Amino acid sequence: MALTHSFLLFCSLFPFFIIPSLSKTSFRPKALVLPVSKDASSLQYVTLINQRTPLVPVKLTLDLGGQFQWVDSEEGYVSSSYKPVRCRSAQCALARSKSCVTECYSGPRPGCNNNTCSVLPDNTVTSTATSGEVGQDVVSIQSTDGSNPGRVVSVKKLIFACSGTRFLEGLASGVNGMAGFGRTKISLPSQFSAAFSFDRKFAICLTSSASNAKGVVFFGDGPYVLLPGIDASKFLIYTPLILNPVSTASAYFEGEPSSDYFIGVKSIKINGKAVPLNTSLLSIDRIQGTGGTKISTVNPYTVMETTIYKAVIATFVKELALVPRVASVAPFGACFNSTNIGSTRVGPPVPQIDLVLQSSKVSWRIFGANSMVQVKSDVMCLGFVDGGLNPRTSIVIGGYQLENNLLQFDLATSRLGFSSSLLFRQTTCANFNFTSNNV
């Protein structure tokens, strides 16, 4: 009895330590790997995870700041290994559940069980939330040595949330939910690193839909090798990840820190010239949680507060004065005749945009391949969008600006590593060799 009491006390004080027991395997991978591709219609980045018993491939929209994985369990979720998470359990506390389902009237099934804890999954594409049961099930994923996929390994009781079919509205065709990579204890990176005891790091390398090729997500430390034998982790420049103390998710998490990844942009330069900005917008209000700069895989393009957006547009247009402007094409506000723009290894030769970080010597440089969007055969637009006045976040760096950039998120040290464009290094995010080396 005393032993049981001590164990429960330990779990209540240190609930995160319950996750490593999720995986039962003698093989301990140093890293894991997932493919990720861009859906041309929705502009969402979609990955594939094998889940349930028997295993079923589940397509999920990648949500960098998402709190956890959630899936549609209303229709067609059949699994002999599914277990609901009971109220007041350690896993329930880990999920930050604040409510308990006491009566479910449709009969026991995944997503509808009595005495289970529930959370509010966020569909960050449509900015909606719903109540969902917290469950556990088997997930299998390939290990990697950084160069190729290796043996398949399994997490026996991965924690996730259930949702209804209607909640899939707005997601890419064929997608069954969202894969949350955010700063929580039950995000996919946190659960994988805890299950296999590797470094609390993950990296994303996204491709464009035009390439019709797979990008890659790594869980764990490098190397991150892209053909022809280039370890892209060697190109990383580092900047602190900033914790926003106020959740930007649903009001359900009021008073808790945000699961999004923020960085400290201090200023913006175009062709080396400072853009005139109200720099107070670049800081996070520690009371309201507003302002600052976050990174998103859900926003297809970078979104800026109106005054920042207008200043960036004005400076960029001035620096590209020799190229005629043409009528804007929604959602963009600055478009140009691309007939005579030309091309380089890193895209159209247009003014470089620098997001200046912790010092003048540390900048995230955005080249033409990540700043210009070809909207017609003879029209290119600056791929930034007006986010309006008083948005919750002043700058949201969107997916297009992340493509063919390697980003490593170090959760233990709260640090971001970024490569800037890999095109400069004569490789791309489509160059991971997904041919398995497992024999």
Side-chain angles (χ1 to χ4, degrees):
M1 186 72 172
L3 180 61
T4 301
H5 175 76
S6 298
F7 176 76
L8 291 174
L9 178 62
F10 177 84
C11 288
S12 66
L13 292 174
F14 303 100
F16 189 58
F17 284 90
I18 204 152
I19 288 187
S21 65
L22 293 176
S23 177
K24 302 290 186 181
T25 177
S26 58
F27 171 65
R28 288 280 179 180
K30 293 183 178 180
L32 309 173
V33 65
L34 280 177
V36 59
S37 57
K38 187 175 184 178
D39 179 72
S41 177
S42 66
L43 305 182
Q44 294 167 25
Y45 301 94
V46 177
T47 189
L48 192 69
I49 288 180
N50 291 306
Q51 190 175 23
R52 312 175 194 176
T53 302
L55 288 170
V56 174
V58 180
K59 288 178 66 176
L60 301 169
T61 293
L62 196 160
D63 183 2
L64 180 65
Q67 304 158 78
F68 40 71
Q69 175 183 323
W70 62 263
V71 299
D72 171 24
S73 58
E74 188 172 23
E75 296 182 9
Y77 194 108
V78 177
S79 175
S80 62
S81 51
Y82 176 85
K83 302 293 182 184
V85 171
R86 297 303 178 188
C87 297
R88 295 174 294 279
S89 65
Q91 292 89 345
C92 195
L94 204 62
R96 301 186 298 174
S97 173
K98 296 182 179 179
S99 61
C100 189
V101 177
T102 56
E103 293 187 42
C104 189
Y105 298 105
S106 68
R109 61 170 177 80
C112 186
N113 290 278
N114 293 336
N115 190 31
T116 58
C117 59
S118 67
V119 290
L120 288 184
D122 278 301
N123 181 332
T124 48
V125 173
T126 57
S127 299
T128 56
T130 188
S131 178
E133 176 178 286
V134 181
Q136 294 178 304
D137 212 338
V138 173
V139 165
S140 74
I141 184 172
Q142 282 189 295
S143 62
T144 184
D145 60 1
S147 298
N148 301 85
R151 292 172 56 177
V152 173
V153 294
S154 295
V155 177
K156 302 299 182 183
K157 296 180 180 178
L158 186 120
I159 300 171
F160 67 102
C162 298
S163 77
T165 304
R166 287 182 295 177
F167 197 54
L168 298 175
E169 182 180 355
L171 299 186
S173 177
V175 161
N176 288 321
M178 303 189 80
F181 281 44
R183 300 180 75 154
T184 71
K185 292 179 180 179
I186 62 166
S187 68
L188 288 181
S190 292
Q191 292 198 68
F192 286 146
S193 64
F196 298 109
S197 301
F198 55 60
D199 289 335
R200 293 179 59 209
K201 299 178 182 180
F202 71 95
I204 63 172
C205 205
L206 306 177
T207 56
S208 67
S209 55
S211 69
N212 196 29
K214 298 175 186 174
V216 60
V217 175
F218 299 97
F219 300 96
D221 206 355
Y224 308 132
V225 179
L226 305 173
L227 296 172
I230 297 170
D231 181 3
S233 67
K234 296 186 182 301
F235 308 138
L236 295 176
I237 303 166
Y238 296 97
T239 191
L241 287 168
I242 299 172
L243 181 66
N244 185 335
V246 182
S247 177
T248 53
S250 61
Y252 179 86
F253 293 105
E254 185 177 351
E256 298 190 17
S258 171
S259 59
D260 286 302
Y261 295 96
F262 284 78
I263 58 174
V265 173
K266 303 298 183 185
S267 64
I268 301 174
K269 293 182 178 180
I270 298 178
N271 265 1
K273 299 176 182 177
V275 176
L277 302 174
N278 176 1
T279 55
S280 66
L281 294 171
L282 301 179
S283 299
I284 298 172
D285 184 310
R286 312 301 287 182
I287 305 298
Q288 301 296 324
T290 55
T293 300
K294 75 175 184 180
I295 306 170
S296 170
T297 55
V298 171
N299 291 80
Y301 303 102
T302 292
V303 181
M304 295 178 163
E305 184 273 343
T306 292
T307 62
I308 297 175
Y309 175 79
K310 288 182 176 179
V312 167
I313 292 293
T315 306
F316 190 88
V317 168
K318 184 177 179 181
E319 292 300 309
L320 199 59
L322 297 179
V323 178
R325 286 188 72 176
V326 297
S328 297
V329 178
F332 309 114
C335 298
F336 305 86
N337 186 326
S338 63
T339 305
N340 297 316
I341 287 184
S343 181
T344 71
R345 181 186 298 168
V346 290
V350 296
Q352 298 169 0
I353 301 172
D354 289 328
L355 304 180
V356 183
L357 300 165
Q358 65 264 37
S359 76
S360 60
K361 296 181 180 180
V362 182
S363 296
W364 182 337
R365 178 158 291 180
I366 301 173
F367 296 95
N370 293 106
S371 65
M372 302 300 289
V373 181
Q374 191 86 48
V375 295
K376 297 180 182 179
S377 60
D378 58 350
V379 177
M380 281 185 181
C381 300
L382 183 63
F384 295 167
V385 177
D386 187 348
L389 292 169
N390 302 313
R392 184 162 189 86
T393 305
S394 297
I395 301 175
V396 180
I397 302 174
Y400 191 83
Q401 280 66 49
L402 307 180
E403 292 173 0
N404 291 313
N405 285 239
L406 177 70
L407 301 182
Q408 183 197 62
F409 298 81
D410 187 333
L411 306 181
T413 64
S414 198
R415 185 176 73 164
L416 172 73
F418 61 96
S419 66
S420 286
S421 180
L422 292 172
L423 302 178
F424 224 30
R425 308 290 184 172
Q426 297 184 303
T427 190
T428 74
C429 288
N431 281 354
F432 181 73
N433 186 357
F434 275 101
T435 303
S436 177
N437 62 8
N438 185 35
V439 293

